[in-house]
Amino acid sequence: RRGRVDQGRPELFAPISGKVVEVNNPLSDTPETINEDPYEEGWMIQVEVADPKEVEGMMDAKGYAKFVEDEKA
């Protein structure tokens, strides 16, 4: 889904629609945290999902890891 440019902020491309409700501002100073600790301190945004049905077809981390492995084979 395409986000909209609001107050000079960049667009956000995401698989679900919703509203950004929180931003992890410390990442501005330590962006390497995204790669070092993506599931704890490296989160970027929290999104309030507009339509919960959009989440139903998404993979979790385990499912995505399996998908990547299967693609390599």
Side-chain angles (χ1 to χ4, degrees):
R1 306 244 186 260
R2 290 190 99 181
R4 110 182 157 213
V5 177
D6 190 19
Q7 299 175 355
R9 296 183 182 128
E11 281 189 287
L12 172 68
F13 295 91
I16 58 173
S17 55
K19 179 172 106 177
V20 174
V21 294
E22 191 169 349
V23 175
N24 188 359
N25 290 317
L27 289 180
S28 296
D29 296 327
T30 57
E32 64 276 6
T33 306
I34 296 169
N35 293 326
E36 294 169 356
D37 192 15
Y39 295 107
E40 294 296 327
E41 298 298 317
W43 62 274
M44 291 184 256
I45 60 172
Q46 289 187 8
V47 176
E48 182 180 295
V49 179
D51 182 359
K53 290 180 183 177
E54 293 177 340
V55 178
E56 291 174 5
M58 295 179 70
M59 290 182 238
D60 60 11
K62 188 183 242 181
Y64 182 71
K66 182 179 179 335
F67 171 78
V68 170
E69 259 321 294
D70 291 348
E71 287 295 305
K72 289 180 183 177

